[in-house]
Amino acid sequence: MIAAGVVWLGAWLTTAHAEETSRGEAIYMANCMICHGESANGTGPAAPAMRPAPSDFTSADFWKDRTDMDVRLAVRAGRPGTSMMAFTKLPSDDLDMLIAYLRTKQPD
C-alpha cells in the first residue's frame, strides 16, 4: 500500500512539474524571448542592440551562486545599468512558473 502511494505521488509530482515548466515556457516566450532568445542563451532578436548583453540562462556562470530569489528580484525590479526592465505586473504564480522553466536551462 505504501509503495503504491509513493509511486502515485512520484507520478503526480512529475506531472505537476511538467505543467509548471510548460506554463513557464509560454510566459518566457511571451515576455523574455525577444531579448534572451528562444534557447534562453542571451541571443534573442533584440540582443545585438543591448549592452551589456542579455543574460545567458544556459550558462553555468549565470547560475553559480544565484538563487531563485535573485532571479525573482531581477525580474520584478529590473537590473539597473542594463536593458532588463521591471516586470512588476507579472503575477507571482507566473513568476514562479517562469523561474521553474529557467531552471530547466541550467546546465547539469
Side-chain angles (χ1 to χ4, degrees):
M1 183 70 102
I2 293 174
V6 169
V7 169
W8 175 86
L9 180 60
W12 180 81
L13 289 173
T14 300
T15 301
H17 183 70
E19 290 173 7
E20 183 177 79
T21 55
S22 177
R23 185 169 164 209
E25 180 179 16
I27 294 163
Y28 175 86
M29 290 299 179
N31 295 285
C32 313
M33 185 280 296
I34 191 74
C35 299
H36 296 278
E38 275 189 54
S39 300
N41 62 359
T43 60
M50 300 174 144
R51 294 292 175 265
S55 295
D56 176 358
F57 301 120
T58 66
S59 167
D61 285 341
F62 175 82
W63 293 106
K64 184 179 181 184
D65 301 325
R66 187 162 280 135
T67 67
D68 288 357
M69 185 55 73
D70 296 331
V71 177
R72 175 179 286 281
L73 292 173
V75 172
R76 265 296 171 241
R79 300 220 34 228
T82 74
S83 298
M84 178 63 190
M85 60 186 248
F87 286 84
T88 58
K89 296 189 183 207
L90 189 66
S92 190
D93 287 349
D94 286 357
L95 185 50
D96 291 340
M97 304 292 175
L98 174 62
I99 293 168
Y101 172 71
L102 291 175
R103 283 283 177 189
T104 69
K105 300 301 181 180
Q106 182 178 5
D108 294 333

